[in-house]
Amino acid sequence: MKKLYLPIFSMSLLMALLFQACSSGKKSLQRGDYYTASLQAVERLRSSPTNTKAQQTLSQSYWMALENLLRQTRTADVNSNPLNWEQIADSYYKINRLDREIRTAPAALKIISDPKSYVSEENQAREKAAEARYQAGKKAMQLNTRESGKQAYEHFLKADGWVSGYKDIVQLLPQAKMMATLKVLMQPIGVPNNFAPTTDFFQNRMRTFLEDYRRGNEFVMFFTPQEAQQSGICCPDQYLVMNFDEFSVGNMVNNNHTTTLKDSVKKVVNNLSVTEFVQADFTRHEQILISTGIMDLRVVDAKTNRVLMQDKIGSEFQWKHEWASFKGDARALKAEQSKLLQQKASQPPAPQDLFVGFCDPIFNRATERLRQFYRSF
């Protein structure tokens, strides 16, 4: 039977979580974290209603936690910084959470028989916090830059977090995100005329990458001219330009290598075992065709036409085919060699297929280069 072992760090994490779940809150109380101490004590009393340490901790920590949280609601300066309403809303939320936790734990309710609740105050503070973020987002949008668009988007997200669907936040979120997004137009890929049908192949591969990248970086958008027309995007920030500078198919190279194989086989003659020595000349034939080329990858600023990034990506694709022939006794051949005898000389793939094979490493290097370049956007 196989034994299962947890990594040491996983075991340590598991033990820490179990310890925290079983904590009476005394250590948090000693650190002055009265809110956490109260929550831990209540949770401990759920599983162990007569736990003395948890009872003592809750009786001491709750009132101090309440006092601290109420003081935060009174001292937060919302006149100089309206965003401080978030601190007030958070403090009321914590007070109300303590109220809910205690009232749903009978052992805790025996100790704190009248936990305080400030639901209406929390709701009002949430409205104020949402309004503060809403106004900050509207102000940021007036600057009409990518960076201010990011700020506006973040403000609107937080406003929606305080009050879901606040005012016209549903309409403003996509507007702010579009302002914050770097819009990159992927121009049609330049492919040699005699390989034009493979343009769609490479274009589709790049589109797949760009769609995946879009999900990973929400503030960079790649799109084709068709998608730009459909989405009404008239002014991209950058152009992504890819052209194949060259592509060539080399001459076929034929290699032949002959090996003399010797072996011994046993056979029965007149009821006697006889050893017979066999020999064969085995020839391995090899066809090799190498395709090479270079793709020019550029990112260009749409307003200044300045090249922001350029890379010449070279690639090589090798088509290889093997078959074999022999002279002599087939019994001298191994199984692998006999299998190779079933192959015959072959015509190389069409240039279109060679170009597709050549594109694979180009695609991989191009996408990695783009990931590196757009990582900071």
Side-chain angles (χ1 to χ4, degrees):
M1 176 181 294
K2 293 184 178 179
K3 294 183 178 180
L4 298 178
Y5 297 93
L6 284 174
I8 294 176
F9 74 90
S10 297
M11 288 294 294
S12 300
L13 178 61
L14 180 60
M15 293 300 294
L17 292 175
L18 289 174
F19 177 79
Q20 185 176 4
C22 298
S23 172
S24 65
K26 184 176 180 179
K27 288 188 176 181
S28 296
L29 174 63
Q30 292 172 344
R31 292 196 305 267
D33 187 355
Y34 306 127
Y35 173 70
T36 301
S38 299
L39 289 177
Q40 291 175 337
V42 172
E43 191 61 31
R44 189 73 179 97
L45 289 171
R46 290 186 195 278
S47 58
S48 180
T50 59
N51 187 282
T52 304
K53 287 185 179 179
Q55 292 173 343
Q56 293 175 348
T57 297
L58 181 61
S59 65
Q60 297 176 55
S61 62
Y62 173 76
W63 298 108
M64 288 186 284
L66 179 64
E67 180 183 351
N68 281 347
L69 292 169
L70 286 174
R71 182 170 60 251
Q72 291 173 12
T73 66
R74 294 191 297 267
T75 58
D77 185 1
V78 295
N79 293 321
S80 60
N81 185 5
L83 295 182
N84 284 339
W85 277 108
E86 293 182 345
Q87 178 184 333
I88 297 174
D90 184 63
S91 295
Y92 279 128
Y93 163 79
K94 290 178 177 179
I95 293 173
N96 292 331
R97 182 184 175 188
L98 287 175
D99 173 66
R100 292 190 297 270
E101 295 293 334
I102 291 172
R103 290 186 184 278
T104 55
L109 192 59
K110 288 181 180 180
I111 299 169
I112 309 297
S113 59
D114 185 27
K116 303 304 178 182
S117 175
Y118 295 87
V119 175
S120 61
E121 288 84 351
E122 179 188 346
N123 290 336
Q124 291 174 11
R126 283 179 169 274
E127 286 281 340
K128 296 285 189 179
E131 177 64 17
R133 286 289 180 178
Y134 178 84
Q135 293 300 333
K138 295 275 283 186
K139 185 177 180 180
M141 286 194 71
Q142 293 174 0
L143 299 177
N144 197 28
T145 65
R146 277 198 70 222
E147 192 56 38
S148 65
K150 287 183 180 181
Q151 295 171 3
Y153 184 70
E154 187 67 23
H155 285 310
F156 292 145
L157 277 180
K158 289 185 177 180
D160 192 57
W162 288 115
V163 179
S164 180
Y166 187 72
K167 292 188 175 180
D168 56 344
I169 213 82
V170 175
Q171 290 76 34
L172 290 175
L173 273 169
Q175 294 176 23
K177 188 173 184 180
M178 183 58 69
M179 181 185 296
T181 299
L182 182 75
K183 294 170 274 294
V184 184
L185 176 63
M186 185 177 74
Q187 295 188 341
I189 299 173
V191 175
N193 291 332
N194 51 332
F195 301 108
T198 57
T199 302
D200 290 341
F201 162 80
F202 196 85
Q203 199 98 10
N204 290 336
R205 288 287 301 273
M206 288 302 300
R207 186 178 291 111
T208 299
F209 157 74
L210 298 177
E211 288 175 353
D212 290 341
Y213 186 88
R214 190 181 304 172
R215 288 190 286 269
N217 188 337
E218 60 181 340
F219 294 118
V220 177
M221 175 192 293
F222 297 95
F223 54 91
T224 64
Q226 294 78 12
E227 292 169 339
Q229 185 175 9
Q230 294 170 0
S231 303
I233 301 174
C234 60
C235 300
D237 299 301
Q238 296 176 357
Y239 296 117
L240 176 58
V241 184
M242 291 171 285
N243 293 307
F244 285 92
D245 288 349
E246 58 183 71
F247 175 75
S248 61
V249 179
N251 296 322
M252 179 79 74
V253 176
N254 295 289
N255 297 322
N256 302 309
H257 181 69
T258 301
T259 305
T260 299
L261 305 173
K262 298 179 180 181
D263 201 355
S264 60
V265 296
K266 293 186 179 297
K267 65 178 183 178
V268 178
V269 179
N270 297 327
N271 295 325
L272 295 175
S273 179
V274 178
T275 299
E276 182 179 1
F277 294 95
V278 294
Q279 178 176 313
D281 291 330
F282 177 80
T283 300
R284 183 186 295 268
H285 307 281
E286 183 180 69
Q287 294 174 302
I288 298 177
L289 187 60
I290 298 177
S291 307
T292 61
I294 297 175
M295 188 188 76
D296 180 52
L297 174 67
R298 282 177 292 150
V299 176
V300 181
D301 187 284
K303 296 180 177 63
T304 65
N305 210 33
R306 183 168 64 93
V307 176
L308 305 175
M309 182 273 286
Q310 184 171 20
D311 201 357
K312 297 284 187 178
I313 303 176
S315 176
E316 178 181 289
F317 174 69
Q318 177 177 287
W319 174 82
K320 183 178 179 180
H321 177 69
E322 291 183 320
W323 79 100
S325 61
F326 83 102
K327 292 180 181 179
D329 197 318
R331 292 176 296 172
L333 305 178
K334 304 296 183 183
E336 180 184 354
Q337 296 163 338
S338 298
K339 184 178 180 180
L340 198 57
L341 290 171
Q342 300 174 12
Q343 303 295 325
K344 303 296 181 184
S346 175
Q347 290 295 321
Q352 295 281 2
D353 297 326
L354 292 172
F355 185 74
V356 169
F358 155 83
C359 282
D360 272 338
I362 286 279
F363 169 80
N364 293 333
R365 288 184 57 189
T367 53
E368 181 57 32
R369 185 69 180 90
L370 290 172
R371 280 193 183 96
Q372 294 174 358
F373 179 73
Y374 285 107
R375 193 167 291 162
S376 60
F377 284 86

